[in-house]
Amino acid sequence: MSHAAERDRPQAPAFDVDPAIRAIAERLEAEPGIRALALGGSHGAGLADAYSDLDFLVVADSGASSETAALWRDALGRVGEIVLWRDRQVKPTLINAITAAWLRVDVDIVTPEQIAERTKAGLRILFDPDELLEALPAEAEKPRPSPGRLQWQVEEFFRVLGLLPLAMGRAEYFNSVTGLFFLRNLITDLLIEETDAPNRGGVLHLNRLITAEQKKALAALPPLVAERDALIANYLAHAALYLPRARKMAARLGARWPERFEAVTWAHLHDTLGIEPPPVVRASRRHEKSPPTDRRAQS
């Protein structure tokens, strides 16, 4: 890292999380209805840095009840002033909070019956007197890449790409920038799938999941500028990065490629905006459509 980049990097938070973890554990361990407590996320997997949040798993007899939520709030309140509290809004077992020191703390609260469906992979057990967590399987079977999911993502890429004439015709340039964010997310998902990285962590981790070559490819994408010509060029740059890689992944997974949808989308873009597929996209289409060489015929 250059001296300038090091200088511009924000100072890491100085908050020491270990006393906070101990205070929460001590408060909850005294409650008979709380059966176990563990850390998950980056701290549970041993991958935490100074910017990582705290992800807890609580096993409670009453599950994610209002009583358990009140106990959790009391325990967290011993760490510091709670300035954000989201109580089971995202999903019925999850509470999100932020303290005045900007410590982000999430907790998933489950019953003993619900915890039996999980594994102990990525958990750092804080207390577990009945060995509810310790008895869990060590690892889950690694999920296999989904051809259906990739097909849906490729179709979504073409669908958003095909809306470009509409956005340009209405001069909806800021909406077009939003579309580029969506395409960039599809590219990022594909790059992560390419690396097949373990310990993916939360949404705020990307550096450890993709390679130097992939980072260079992302960095080469044009900046987001809400102007007509810049937007068209940017959509084509995203297509040039995504589509050849997605074709290779589809071939590897045996996913169906939406050939007809792709063909009519490029025809639509040509008829309305006068644009053609980038050369790298045309090359990948020709490569995939070329029949395999019969080596026996050449011998």
Side-chain angles (χ1 to χ4, degrees), residues 255-274:
R256 184 183 69 82
W257 188 265
E259 297 285 359
R260 179 62 179 158
F261 189 26
E262 178 181 18
V264 300
T265 299
W266 285 118
H268 171 59
L269 293 171
H270 177 268
D271 293 344
T272 54
L273 295 174

Side-chain angles (χ1 to χ4, degrees), residues 30-134:
E31 293 292 331
I34 305 298
R35 304 284 296 279
L37 177 68
L39 274 171
S42 297
H43 283 276
L47 299 171
D49 60 20
Y51 302 94
S52 297
D53 64 352
L54 292 177
D55 296 287
F56 286 90
L57 175 66
V58 168
V59 183
D61 283 331
S62 62
S65 64
S66 296
E67 178 186 10
T68 307
L71 284 173
W72 177 254
R73 181 158 193 155
D74 180 66
L76 184 56
R78 300 181 180 214
V79 172
E81 178 191 1
I82 300 170
V83 295
L84 177 69
W85 178 260
R86 289 185 174 166
D87 188 347
R88 293 163 290 176
Q89 294 180 14
V90 177
K91 70 175 187 176
T93 63
L94 182 67
I95 297 176
N96 312 102
I98 297 177
T99 71
W102 243 90
L103 176 65
R104 295 166 290 125
V105 185
D106 300 334
V107 63
D108 195 16
I109 305 172
V110 297
T111 65
E113 292 74 24
Q114 290 170 326
I115 197 62
E117 303 170 0
R118 306 196 185 191
T119 73
K120 61 182 176 184
L123 292 181
R124 174 182 152 197
I125 299 173
L126 300 173
F127 66 81
D128 183 26
D130 301 315
E131 297 189 346
L132 297 174
L133 301 178
E134 192 60 48

Side-chain angles (χ1 to χ4, degrees), residues 228-276:
R228 185 183 188 279
D229 291 346
L231 285 165
I232 292 173
N234 215 329
Y235 272 78
L236 291 176
H238 280 64
L241 176 57
Y242 180 79
L243 292 175
R245 289 177 179 264
R247 268 191 179 272
K248 289 181 181 179
M249 181 63 70
R252 182 167 74 84
L253 299 183
R256 184 183 69 82
W257 188 265
E259 297 285 359
R260 179 62 179 158
F261 189 26
E262 178 181 18
V264 300
T265 299
W266 285 118
H268 171 59
L269 293 171
H270 177 268
D271 293 344
T272 54
L273 295 174
I275 59 178
E276 301 284 351

